[in-house]
Amino acid sequence: MLLLVLGIVIVFFVLPIYSVIVTNEIRKRRRVEAALIRAKEDAERASKFKDRFLSTMSHELRTPLNAVMGFSDLLADKRYGELNERQQRYVSHINTGGRHLLKLINDILDLSKIEAGRLELSFGDLPVTAIFSEVVSSLRSLADKKAQTLSHSADPGLCVHADATRVRQVLMNLVGNAIKFTPEGGRIELEAQQAKLEVQVKIRDNGPGIPPEEQKRIFEAFYRLRKSGEGAEGTGLGLAITESLVKLQGGTLGLESEPGRGSCFHFNLPIAKAIREVRPRPVKVARKAVKTSKILIIEDDRLASHLLESQLTSSGYEVVSCDQPERALEMAADLQPQAITLDLLMKPTSGWEILLQLKHDPRTTSIPVIVVTIVDQPTTGAAIGADEYLVKPVDKKTLLAAVARCFEGREGSSPARPILVVEDDGPTREIVAELLRTNGYAVATAADGGSARAQVATSLPELVILDLVLPKLGGFELLAQWRSDPRTAELPIFVLTSKELTALEKTYLRENTQSLFHKQESWKDALLKQLQRAVGKPQAVKV
Ligand code: ADP
């Protein structure tokens, strides 16, 4: 009886109530799930919008700014007549304002990329001395203007494992700040030392220093000390970006400072992998020569390297030796020598592999390579891209003649065919064309992809300077079409763009073009230099 009552209670009361509770619970869960999916979709939409906003903003803002700065530069150069004192002042205000805005835009974009976790780093082993020299030579003129001494020292052969562009950016910012905030006649020193498996880098100045209560806040975005920042240009974003960049590369940025006694910013980075495994063999820099032409010798046999070194230095060339073939590409990219001599039978990376790397990397593709080897295969060497091929033993006269031929090739006569500038933005097109013409090059222009394609189909230009964002037929599409046509497969192409590139796009460009220039960076001198390497220096410069 009891069981029967219990059964009735369960079937008619407990089960219905339980099923109502379960159904409600399921409904609630579904609602929560739906809300979660909606929130996820909203977040994805917002992130996509932010991405699109950032890439559009970078392009739309940088393009007109490029024109503002480019044309004010042309006016300041007085290429089209003298300016009176007031006009000069105004042009200089336009240029300074443009530079400030461009810095702000670049900083904001960098910071948002870092925050969104979208900053792509490419790590490699980098020689500290080479990076120090590069940063110091870029900032030397600023320090000279303030009669400041700018010096650097590092343990010989010291290398860090980091991203070259970002390490440079960190140093440029810290040394730039030191110059900016240290008064006239001050002293700025860069120093690097090995500390176990890390490299400690210090940037010391004898400027105004930073009060203890401000030392944390200066790393916040947009924070600037009113007193030290007075009159000095800046966005207050530099240190926030620098701190994140150091962190992303596995280090920490710190500061020691006493008001009135200067500041010392310091950071650590992992030491180069190669050095972790083997004791570093110092990079030998031979004595500075009368001629400034720098030649990189890639040779793992000490005797052979010594022989080449003495043959070249005795003729006034500056020589840097690399006896670790696995570091050759990075060294060549950092040093930018005027020529390279390359042995073929080396370990762990053979000379053939290095030659391929050198000729496929846009940073090194136009540096002439003289293969010096016992392997008698000049045809294969030429096919891979060797500019000269010498079979050992090589006497001094033969070597010097090959070097001279490489240099002549670059400084030969003006190219007969024009450089084709493909750029949809009128003012930018004019700036690039003007820059080339005033440097003696013949120029043709195209305002869109279709017209560029038609012009190249009619007659081949010497080289193309290609913008990537073009209406209808875009730069990438054009590039793909040219590369798949045997007639244009080898056409030299430089890309000049303000587009934010993905890792995939960068790889594609590295494989299919000779050089890449970003409009947001100072590209003019670099472009002219590369152009001279690629097609030679024009003889008559028409102004
Ligand atoms: P910005 O240089 O654009 O002002 P930063 O973020 O690079 O921005 O620097 C923030 C502030 O920290 C600067 O405005 C300045 O007041 C202070 N500061 C940075 N470096 C130094 C330095 N070497 N000496 C004195 N003050 C400095």
Side-chain angles (χ1 to χ4, degrees):
M1 185 64 187
L2 194 65
L3 275 178
L4 186 69
V5 173
L6 203 63
I8 291 169
V9 169
I10 288 175
V11 170
F12 289 99
F13 295 99
V14 177
L15 275 184
I17 292 172
Y18 181 72
S19 85
V20 168
I21 292 174
V22 168
T23 318
N24 276 347
E25 197 51 38
I26 290 173
R27 267 201 212 116
K28 219 192 281 167
R29 213 172 270 177
R30 281 205 185 125
R31 268 203 304 275
V32 172
E33 272 172 17
L36 275 177
I37 290 171
R38 255 200 321 277
K40 186 172 162 267
E41 282 170 357
D42 284 351
E44 278 170 1
R45 243 195 318 277
S47 153
K48 261 195 203 135
F49 174 77
K50 193 178 161 203
D51 278 0
R52 213 172 326 126
F53 172 76
L54 283 177
S55 83
T56 315
M57 184 169 99
S58 65
H59 184 253
E60 293 304 314
L61 288 176
R62 281 167 180 163
T63 305
L65 257 181
N66 218 31
V68 169
M69 289 161 60
F71 285 112
S72 56
D73 262 351
L74 280 181
L75 288 176
D77 276 357
K78 300 177 194 156
R79 220 178 283 261
Y80 305 103
E82 280 300 315
L83 301 182
N84 65 33
E85 190 265 328
R86 181 183 293 234
Q87 287 167 331
Q88 273 180 39
R89 216 172 45 243
Y90 290 177
V91 167
S92 144
H93 289 331
I94 296 173
N95 205 279
T96 311
R99 245 185 312 119
H100 181 75
L101 262 181
L102 189 60
K103 170 108 184 54
L104 184 63
I105 294 165
N106 289 342
D107 282 355
I108 290 177
L109 284 171
D110 265 353
L111 205 59
S112 26
K113 260 197 266 172
I114 292 170
E115 276 176 3
R118 283 197 306 111
L119 195 79
E120 286 159 1
L121 298 177
S122 80
F123 285 86
D125 289 349
L126 319 164
V128 176
T129 310
I131 306 180
F132 273 5
S133 316
E134 210 179 304
V135 170
V136 164
S137 72
S138 312
L139 295 172
R140 168 85 59 207
S141 63
L142 283 182
D144 284 350
K145 269 189 202 152
K146 293 179 81 176
Q148 293 165 333
T149 22
L150 182 56
S151 61
H152 65 95
S153 66
D155 290 348
L158 198 58
C159 288
V160 284
H161 187 68
D163 176 301
T165 313
R166 300 304 172 179
V167 172
R168 238 174 264 136
Q169 187 177 352
V170 164
L171 284 170
M172 289 291 282
N173 189 41
L174 295 175
V175 181
N177 273 352
I179 295 174
K180 191 161 67 171
F181 297 111
T182 302
E184 300 229 335
R187 207 177 53 245
I188 293 125
E189 290 159 355
L190 282 79
E191 148 196 325
Q193 275 168 353
Q194 179 170 352
K196 293 188 188 142
L197 290 182
E198 288 186 333
V199 174
Q200 284 284 346
V201 181
K202 291 183 178 161
I203 295 95
R204 216 188 292 276
D205 67 56
N206 64 348
I210 297 160
E213 65 280 10
E214 304 273 15
Q215 288 185 11
K216 270 219 166 80
R217 296 211 61 193
I218 54 164
F219 293 99
E220 289 170 19
F222 296 108
Y223 191 80
R224 308 189 72 211
L225 295 192
R226 216 170 292 142
K227 205 155 155 268
S228 68
E230 257 163 30
E233 267 182 38
T235 59
L237 287 172
L239 285 178
I241 295 173
T242 305
E243 190 181 26
S244 307
L245 289 179
V246 171
K247 214 184 264 171
L248 283 173
Q249 295 177 88
T252 324
L253 177 65
L255 163 67
E256 277 160 34
S257 179
E258 241 181 87
R261 307 196 60 182
S263 312
C264 174
F265 283 86
H266 51 84
F267 63 89
N268 55 323
L269 286 176
I271 203 157
K273 282 194 172 147
I275 292 182
R276 258 177 258 166
E277 284 144 23
V278 229
R279 275 279 324 133
R281 276 178 280 176
V283 173
K284 286 175 281 163
V285 180
R287 70 188 155 84
K288 234 191 162 68
V290 193
K291 280 185 210 166
T292 49
S293 300
K294 202 187 307 168
I295 299 176
L296 175 65
I297 299 175
I298 306 174
E299 168 71 81
D300 64 349
D301 181 279
R302 272 160 201 264
L303 262 181
S305 166
H306 187 69
L307 179 66
L308 286 169
E309 203 174 89
S310 51
Q311 285 173 332
L312 292 166
T313 49
S314 68
S315 300
Y317 292 106
E318 187 185 334
V319 171
V320 178
S321 303
C322 168
D323 56 5
Q324 289 169 278
E326 68 279 21
R327 285 181 46 210
L329 177 70
E330 281 315 312
M331 263 183 92
D334 285 334
L335 283 168
Q336 290 294 313
Q338 277 69 41
I340 293 171
T341 74
L342 176 67
D343 184 21
L344 289 182
L345 301 182
M346 290 186 292
K347 276 186 184 154
T349 319
S350 80
W352 294 114
E353 271 173 79
I354 299 174
L355 182 57
L356 274 173
Q357 290 170 357
L358 289 168
K359 289 300 167 186
H360 279 87
D361 190 314
R363 298 170 300 168
T364 50
T365 181
S366 48
I367 305 174
V369 178
I370 304 163
V371 169
V372 184
T373 176
I374 47 163
V375 184
D376 194 356
Q377 288 180 17
T379 330
T380 321
I384 299 184
D387 295 77
E388 293 284 336
Y389 196 104
L390 307 176
V391 180
K392 286 178 187 171
V394 178
D395 63 15
K396 186 172 164 183
K397 214 168 114 213
T398 314
L399 176 69
L400 293 180
V403 172
R405 276 196 301 276
C406 285
F407 288 175
E408 269 162 29
R410 289 154 167 231
E411 289 157 10
S413 56
S414 174
R417 289 174 288 158
I419 311 286
L420 175 63
V421 179
V422 189
E423 167 68 65
D424 63 326
D425 179 65
T428 309
R429 194 168 59 241
E430 207 178 324
I431 289 175
V432 182
E434 187 62 27
L435 179 77
L436 300 183
R437 274 192 206 107
T438 50
N439 280 280
Y441 293 97
V443 181
T445 58
D448 56 58
S451 134
R453 185 169 53 186
Q455 286 195 42
V456 171
T458 321
S459 80
L460 270 185
E462 191 75 33
L463 180 145
V464 176
I465 296 179
L466 180 66
D467 183 21
L468 292 175
V469 184
L470 296 166
K472 290 182 207 146
L473 181 59
F476 277 109
E477 232 177 309
L478 202 52
L479 194 53
Q481 289 182 10
W482 281 335
R483 288 308 180 226
S484 60
D485 178 347
R487 188 174 155 268
T488 46
E490 298 298 323
L491 175 65
I493 297 177
F494 285 5
V495 167
L496 174 63
T497 184
S498 55
K499 188 178 187 309
E500 291 289 320
L501 298 167
T502 62
L504 214 65
E505 288 173 332
K506 276 188 209 157
T507 312
Y508 181 80
L509 291 179
R510 200 174 308 134
E511 283 164 5
N512 287 287
T513 66
Q514 275 60 39
S515 275
L516 170 64
F517 303 94
H518 295 282
K519 288 180 191 164
Q520 54 270 35
E521 288 161 10
S522 39
W523 51 268
K524 287 185 197 157
D525 287 344
L527 185 133
L528 285 175
K529 240 184 233 161
Q530 288 291 77
L531 202 56
Q532 195 174 318
R533 284 191 179 142
V535 300
K537 191 178 180 180
Q539 271 168 352
V541 178
K542 281 180 273 157
V543 180

